[in-house]
Amino acid sequence: MAYSSQIRAAVGAVRESLAGVGVGVQDRRFTQHGEHDPLPDAPLVLVACSGGRDSMALAAVARTVCASLGVRCGAVVVDHGLQAGSGRVARETADRCERLGLAPVTLRAVQVRESGSGVEAAARDARYRALAAAAREYDASAVLLAHTRDDQAETVLLGLLRSGGIDAIAGMPPTFDRDGVLFARPFLELGRADTTAICEQLRVAWWDDPTNGEAAEGPLDARYPLRSRIRHDLMPALVRFMGGDVSAVLARGARSARHDKEYLDAEAERALADVACFAGTADAVDGSDTAGAAGAAEPAGANAVRAGERRERRAALLFDARKLGALHPAIRRRVIAHGLASVGVAGNQWQVEAIERLAVDWHGQGAVNLSGGYSANRQKHVIRVCQDGMHENRGCSGSD
């Protein structure tokens, strides 16, 4: 079968993505023409499949690529239960994946519990938990996500509207680790028009999510998710204004910004190890401020985060306010965000800036309230990030 330009591009993108995560040709047999079944213990790649055109195109292409490498290819279908008939859609999607030859195909129903960050964010968290659980259960080498160049452009605009900064411009990374599972996005260089063409050429059916508003006439109202409104209303307006492919421009900018973000994140990790540590250590930040805590000093940072996750996420974090305040603002705010993440706290922009003021604009202000029952409080030259009730505990405060 002669492949179209869209299918050739997709095959190349999946091959490159798999190679990037260490999945390559398993045996010399697979460099030869003809059909060759992968070994039962060959690496497994799972495709996260919603049933939409993007993920169905990825499922079809990934199945072909994996077969040529001697790699097993399966799928995970997540039913969020947020729409009437979602179970039927999920089952039909799983059936399509099985007909494409993917195996295993597993369907996971999740409960979406909204906790103040919005239904979309809660659904995303539930979905990733289900995907990670399936990957661990099947010992998958990686999970492939079907985000396209258009999704990347929408993500950049979404980030700019919500917060801004280099992280918003950087968009979605091509690979990342979550809950110990490796995720990859092979289609970030392909557009939605490409995935539509692939499905049509391969005669693969798909499902259109009604919350995307594709069938709606006129602007979408606030009942639709913000991402859907960006896709339906803002992106077409920008195309009319610029007269070109806005998604390609935004995606190209995201690739460049990601290099900057990765560098700043690496610098922030190095700085974090110098200005912060976990509580319960002698002379943890400054001998005069933390003497009396027991144990050996443990610096914060990427290695300490992993160690902390193995023991307990309730550890307190101590920042040296003077050292923190001396950092450049671009690094200082990342250091704070990385430090919060090290104790399992997802700090928003306002919270990070409020903690920053404890270091650079200290005038006796009160604690900064954080998620998960945590707060940040300055005493003398130490900013302590503890769960409420632990600030008076020796394990957090030491002896001032």
Side-chain angles (χ1 to χ4, degrees):
M1 157 180 192
Y3 284 164
S4 67
S5 60
Q6 293 96 342
I7 294 177
R8 286 198 302 272
V11 167
V14 172
R15 279 183 171 272
E16 182 179 358
S17 181
L18 290 177
V21 297
V23 178
V25 178
Q26 300 300 301
D27 189 286
R28 290 180 58 187
R29 292 179 300 135
F30 298 99
T31 64
Q32 303 169 358
H33 292 293
E35 291 290 330
H36 306 284
D37 293 330
L39 296 174
D41 61 349
L44 171 67
V45 171
L46 292 175
V47 178
C49 198
S50 67
R53 67 192 74 191
D54 299 338
S55 63
M56 290 308 304
L58 178 58
V61 172
R63 166 69 179 85
T64 299
V65 171
C66 286
S68 72
L69 299 175
V71 174
R72 295 178 295 142
C73 185
V76 186
V77 181
V78 178
D79 175 16
H80 300 85
L82 295 176
Q83 299 179 34
S86 64
R88 174 185 54 80
V89 171
R91 183 66 261 169
E92 290 175 352
T93 299
D95 290 343
R96 289 187 186 121
C97 289
E98 289 174 344
R99 287 195 294 273
L100 286 172
L102 281 78
V105 176
T106 178
L107 196 162
R108 304 294 170 106
V110 299
Q111 288 188 330
V112 177
R113 294 185 174 89
E114 205 278 315
S115 59
S117 56
V119 175
E120 291 176 78
R124 181 173 59 251
D125 288 343
R127 177 168 63 253
Y128 275 114
R129 284 195 298 272
L131 293 174
R136 288 191 295 269
E137 178 181 332
Y138 287 99
D139 194 25
S141 297
V143 177
L144 303 185
L145 305 173
H147 298 113
T148 66
R149 184 178 64 226
D150 298 273
D151 294 309
Q152 183 72 296
E154 293 158 10
T155 298
V156 170
L157 291 173
L158 193 63
L160 288 171
L161 290 172
R162 285 177 169 168
S163 62
I166 194 72
D167 287 18
I169 301 171
M172 297 179 289
T175 61
F176 64 98
D177 183 289
R178 178 161 177 158
D179 296 333
V181 173
L182 188 59
F183 290 83
R185 296 182 171 106
F187 279 4
L188 286 181
E189 299 296 326
L190 277 69
R192 197 164 291 123
D194 297 317
T195 59
T196 302
I198 290 169
C199 286
E200 291 173 343
Q201 292 160 14
L202 297 180
R203 294 184 173 84
V204 175
W206 72 83
W207 168 75
D208 283 325
D209 186 345
T211 65
N212 289 337
E214 294 180 7
E217 296 183 1
L220 301 183
D221 59 39
R223 290 175 296 178
Y224 286 87
L226 180 56
R227 181 180 287 274
S228 297
R229 285 178 277 153
I230 289 173
R231 177 181 303 180
H232 188 273
D233 301 331
L234 182 55
M235 286 296 292
L238 290 174
V239 170
R240 290 192 299 270
F241 180 79
M242 287 189 61
D245 189 349
V246 176
S247 66
V249 173
L250 291 171
R252 188 164 56 247
R255 288 196 301 274
S256 177
R258 178 146 298 279
H259 294 306
D260 298 340
K261 179 186 182 313
E262 289 170 354
Y263 173 78
L264 290 171
D265 282 337
E267 289 297 304
E269 277 296 312
R270 282 190 282 270
L272 178 61
D274 180 57
V275 307
C277 69
F278 291 107
T281 62
D283 300 324
V285 174
D286 178 273
S288 62
D289 288 331
T290 59
E298 181 184 352
N303 292 333
V305 171
R306 286 191 287 271
E309 287 175 344
R310 284 195 297 270
R311 21 165 240 273
E312 191 176 1
R313 297 300 293 268
R314 290 174 59 87
L317 186 70
L318 310 182
F319 287 106
D320 184 320
R322 293 168 297 188
K323 287 184 177 181
L324 184 63
L327 295 174
H328 188 284
I331 298 298
R332 183 168 58 230
R333 292 174 185 175
R334 286 182 183 275
V335 165
I336 296 169
H338 285 214
L340 293 178
S342 74
V343 290
V345 176
N348 59 36
Q349 183 178 357
W350 180 90
Q351 291 166 333
V352 169
E353 291 176 354
I355 294 175
E356 179 183 38
R357 287 193 291 272
L358 294 179
V360 301
D361 185 26
W362 170 243
H363 49 271
Q365 61 264 45
V368 179
N369 293 321
L370 304 167
S371 62
Y374 278 80
S375 61
N377 195 351
R378 176 166 176 171
Q379 297 178 22
K380 295 186 179 180
H381 299 301
V382 180
I383 298 172
R384 297 172 171 81
V385 179
C386 302
Q387 282 193 316
D388 293 343
M390 290 180 65
H391 284 282
E392 301 305 321
N393 183 295
R394 182 185 178 96
C396 179
S397 64
S399 59
D400 290 324

